[in-house]
């Protein structure tokens, strides 16, 4: 089975000798790792041990988004979101009008970071 180091769920890597079949929760794990990479610019840790929360790399992230990433990337499939609809629901709810925030503020923030990074690299 092929997978991308750092993005694949533990059950896809055979971590811990677990005999768990990959399913939608494995895809949600990869989504969480990808989302974390998008908002921090830091590739997922491929070394054993607990990774740092996304907020350590980007303190401007909302607590809600950090929690969504954390829940997507739980080591145990039972602790993750069970279906993609749950993630979509929380992303919509967490980014909605609360505490003066506009919907999808984190996306706008990532776009700004990309533009700033591109301007420094040029």
């Amino acid at each position: 089975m092929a997978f991308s180091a750092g993005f694949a769920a533990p059950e896809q890597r055979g971590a811990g000798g677990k005999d768990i079949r990959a399913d939608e929760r494995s895809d949600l794990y990869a989504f969480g790792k990808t989302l974390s990479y998008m908002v921090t610019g830091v590739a997922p840790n491929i070394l054993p041990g607990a990774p740092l929360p996304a907020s350590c790399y980007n303190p401007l992230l909302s607590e809600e988004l950090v929690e969504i990433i954390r829940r997507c990337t739980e080591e145990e499939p039972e602790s993750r979101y069970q279906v993609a609809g749950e993630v979509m629901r929380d992303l919509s709810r967490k980014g909605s009008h609360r505490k003066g925030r506009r919907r999808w503020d984190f996306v706008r923030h990532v776009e700004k970071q990309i533009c700033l990074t591109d301007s420094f690299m040029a």
Side-chain angles (χ1 to χ4, degrees), residues 44-87:
N45 185 4
I46 59 172
L47 300 175
L52 295 173
S55 58
C56 287
Y57 301 105
N58 184 346
L60 300 177
L61 295 177
S62 71
E63 292 174 19
E64 295 90 356
L65 183 59
V66 172
E67 175 60 20
I68 290 169
I69 292 169
R70 185 205 59 76
R71 189 165 169 206
C72 282
T73 58
E74 285 285 341
E75 291 292 308
E76 296 296 326
E78 297 80 24
S79 300
R80 294 180 208 141
Y81 287 101
Q82 300 300 295
V83 293
E86 293 175 344
V87 180

Side-chain angles (χ1 to χ4, degrees), residues 2-32:
F3 59 84
S4 297
F7 291 90
E11 60 270 19
Q12 291 176 300
R13 300 187 311 258
K18 297 179 183 177
D19 188 25
I20 301 173
R21 294 180 57 96
D23 57 22
E24 184 172 2
R25 298 171 299 180
S26 306
D27 295 335
L28 295 175
Y29 181 94
F31 169 75

Side-chain angles (χ1 to χ4, degrees), residues 110-122:
V110 171
E111 289 171 345
K112 289 177 189 174
Q113 281 188 314
I114 292 169
C115 290
L116 288 173
T117 302
D118 286 347
S119 65
F120 286 121
M121 298 293 220

